[in-house]
Amino acid sequence: MSGKKHIYATMGFYLCLALNEVDEFKYRYEENKFYKYDKISPSYTEQYSDGTIGFFTVPFKSDYETFIKDYVKIKDKFLKRDYEEKEQQDVVWLSCEPWFNFTSVVSPYEKDLTIPQLIWDKFIFIEDRVYTNLMIMSHHGFVDESHIGKFLNSLTHLIENINL
C-alpha cells in the first residue's frame, strides 16, 4: 500500500509513533483526576463533500501497513457518514492546512483541555527535501519545551530512517 496515496494518514502515523515515545503527551486531566494513557491515537479532522468538517479516530497500531488499512476503512465510513466519533481523551487532535504556509497558528484554548493538538501546513519541495511547518499545542502543566524537544528528536529520527 503506497504512502503517497495516504499522506495525511502517514503524517498521523509518524507523529503518533513519536508522541507515544514521550510519556508526558499521554497525560490527561479529567473530572478532577490525573490519568496517563498507555498510548494515544490520531484523531483526524476531515472535510465532507458539502464543506462541513468532522472528526474520526484511528486506533493507533505501530505497524504501518495495518494502521493504513484501518485508516482507509474508518475514513471511508466517515465520508459516507456511517461513523460516529466517540469522545475520547486518549488521542491527539490532528489537522493540516495544505493550501498555504503559516508562521504561527493559535488554536482556541481552554485551560482544562489537555489533549495535544498538531497542525501542519503546505509542503514545500526544495531539491530532494520536503519541508512543512508544524504547530504543536499542549497543556504546559504536562508538556514543556524539553518534552517537545524529545518528541521532535524522535520524529526526526523516524523520518530520517523511513525506508522508501
Side-chain angles (χ1 to χ4, degrees), residues 67-116:
F67 178 82
I68 293 297
K69 285 177 187 173
D70 290 349
Y71 172 89
V72 170
K73 274 192 258 180
I74 293 169
K75 181 179 177 184
D76 185 55
K77 286 181 74 168
F78 169 84
L79 291 174
K80 291 176 181 173
R81 296 189 185 254
D82 185 27
Y83 174 83
E84 186 176 327
E85 178 71 358
K86 298 174 188 102
E87 189 172 323
Q88 295 175 240
Q89 295 289 317
D90 60 340
V91 296
V92 56
W93 290 338
L94 301 178
S95 191
C96 64
E97 298 292 344
W99 307 278
F100 56 86
N101 293 106
F102 56 73
T103 55
S104 71
V105 174
V106 179
S107 296
Y109 177 74
E110 287 179 43
K111 75 174 187 152
D112 294 333
L113 181 63
T114 56
I115 297 172

Side-chain angles (χ1 to χ4, degrees), residues 1 113 126-127:
M1 189 170 290
L113 181 63
I126 301 174
E127 297 176 12

Side-chain angles (χ1 to χ4, degrees), residues 11-28 37-42 60 91-94 116-118 134 136-138 143 147-148 150-152 154-155 158:
M11 286 287 291
F13 174 81
Y14 282 102
L15 290 169
C16 273
L17 199 58
L19 284 169
N20 276 302
E21 291 183 16
V22 183
D23 282 344
E24 287 75 11
F25 283 101
K26 300 176 193 175
Y27 286 101
R28 302 292 184 269
Y37 289 97
D38 293 331
K39 67 178 176 180
I40 54 176
S41 297
F60 187 72
V91 296
V92 56
W93 290 338
L94 301 178
Q117 301 172 56
L118 280 70
L134 178 64
I136 304 167
M137 185 169 176
S138 59
V143 177
H147 306 115
I148 291 172
K150 286 179 189 178
F151 158 68
L152 292 173
S154 175
L155 183 62
L158 290 168

